[in-house]
Amino acid sequence: MRRFLREHSLTLVFFGLFLAALVGQLFAGHAEYNERQAALGQPVLTLGSYLFSADFLVDVVENWQSEYLQFFLYVTATVWLVQKGSPESKPAGKVGLESDREQQVGRFADESSPKWARAGGWRTAVFSKSLGLVMLALFLFSWGLQWVAGWYSNNSDPLAEPMGLGAYFFSADFWSRSLQNWQSEFLAIASMAILSVYLRERGSPESKPVGTAHSTSDESG
């Protein structure tokens, strides 16, 4: 068990932080919601009712969809786009899908390679795109949840104009919720790409080794 915890500590710690933040959001969002309802003379909700409400769901998934969009764009864009000197980028000479030998697929795979990397054909093709495809699916799923939950929440608001699901997709509320999250994700990616050229975090694989030249790409510390 100790070995398992050590070898999976990065995932476990961040899942723990996620759950702690989610619980904190539940309590804070519940208090804010009831304050707003009381000010409008509307019924308040118990904590359990708020947990399963559209208001809580839309606040949660609007953040999820922007994160998965960020990772989908990041893992696919970095196939073709580079930032000289950033460990987040490949060297300019490796732009593109790279050769089967470099990617260890098909006849270049070894015994430790994943089964679908050795299989060839459609299975290797799908596996070669699997990370981006799953991130895209998670983005579309959570964005769809935001759409439906936001629509339901909007129509439950006594001060908002009721509208159909299709009309809500083109509403200012839906796109404001989406774009305010997207812009922060795009800024974070751009900032990480350029700042990692000139700054270091010793021991982190997201940083170059401390003494590596600023112009060196594709190095991990």
Side-chain angles (χ1 to χ4, degrees):
M1 176 59 72
R2 184 175 298 176
R3 180 179 178 182
F4 175 84
L5 293 175
R6 182 175 66 251
E7 292 180 345
H8 299 278
S9 58
L10 184 61
T11 298
L12 293 172
V13 165
F14 275 92
F15 265 122
L17 291 172
F18 158 72
L19 291 174
L22 187 63
V23 171
Q25 180 184 349
L26 171 63
F27 281 96
H30 175 245
E32 180 187 25
Y33 177 85
N34 280 349
E35 286 175 5
R36 185 173 68 251
Q37 289 292 96
L40 295 173
Q42 299 295 316
V44 298
L45 293 179
T46 64
L47 185 64
S49 296
Y50 178 73
L51 173 62
F52 295 100
S53 70
D55 288 84
F56 178 65
L57 179 60
V58 70
D59 286 342
V60 170
V61 295
E62 73 177 58
N63 290 289
W64 291 4
Q65 58 88 4
S66 64
E67 296 295 338
Y68 286 123
L69 175 63
Q70 174 194 154
F71 284 117
F72 164 68
L73 293 177
Y74 191 66
V75 300
T76 54
T78 49
V79 175
W80 303 99
L81 305 179
V82 298
Q83 173 58 58
K84 183 177 180 180
S86 175
E88 303 294 314
S89 167
K90 299 188 294 186
K94 288 189 176 182
V95 167
L97 300 177
E98 302 177 10
S99 67
D100 287 354
R101 182 185 296 276
E102 290 173 309
Q103 288 291 310
Q104 296 180 262
V105 298
R107 63 190 179 92
F108 298 106
D110 58 35
E111 293 182 355
S112 64
S113 299
K115 183 178 179 180
W116 278 35
R118 303 194 306 266
W122 68 269
R123 285 177 293 179
T124 297
V126 170
F127 187 62
S128 298
K129 301 286 187 181
S130 57
L131 181 58
L133 289 173
V134 169
M135 290 297 176
L136 176 61
L138 289 170
F139 160 65
L140 293 175
F141 175 72
S142 53
W143 199 34
L145 280 180
Q146 178 196 326
W147 175 19
V148 175
W151 164 71
Y152 190 87
S153 176
N154 176 82
N155 286 358
S156 301
D157 187 342
L159 300 181
E161 179 182 354
M163 61 182 71
L165 184 61
Y168 180 73
F169 182 82
F170 296 100
S171 70
D173 181 70
F174 177 71
W175 283 100
S176 176
R177 286 179 178 272
S178 296
L179 292 170
Q180 71 175 335
N181 285 280
W182 293 0
Q183 53 86 15
S184 64
E185 304 301 340
F186 300 153
L187 177 62
I189 290 177
S191 300
M192 184 63 181
I194 192 63
L195 291 176
S196 61
V197 175
Y198 302 104
L199 305 177
R200 307 286 189 271
E201 186 61 42
R202 185 169 181 164
S204 173
E206 300 303 312
S207 167
K208 294 184 289 189
V210 177
T212 301
H214 291 326
S215 58
T216 302
S217 302
D218 197 29
E219 293 279 348
S220 296

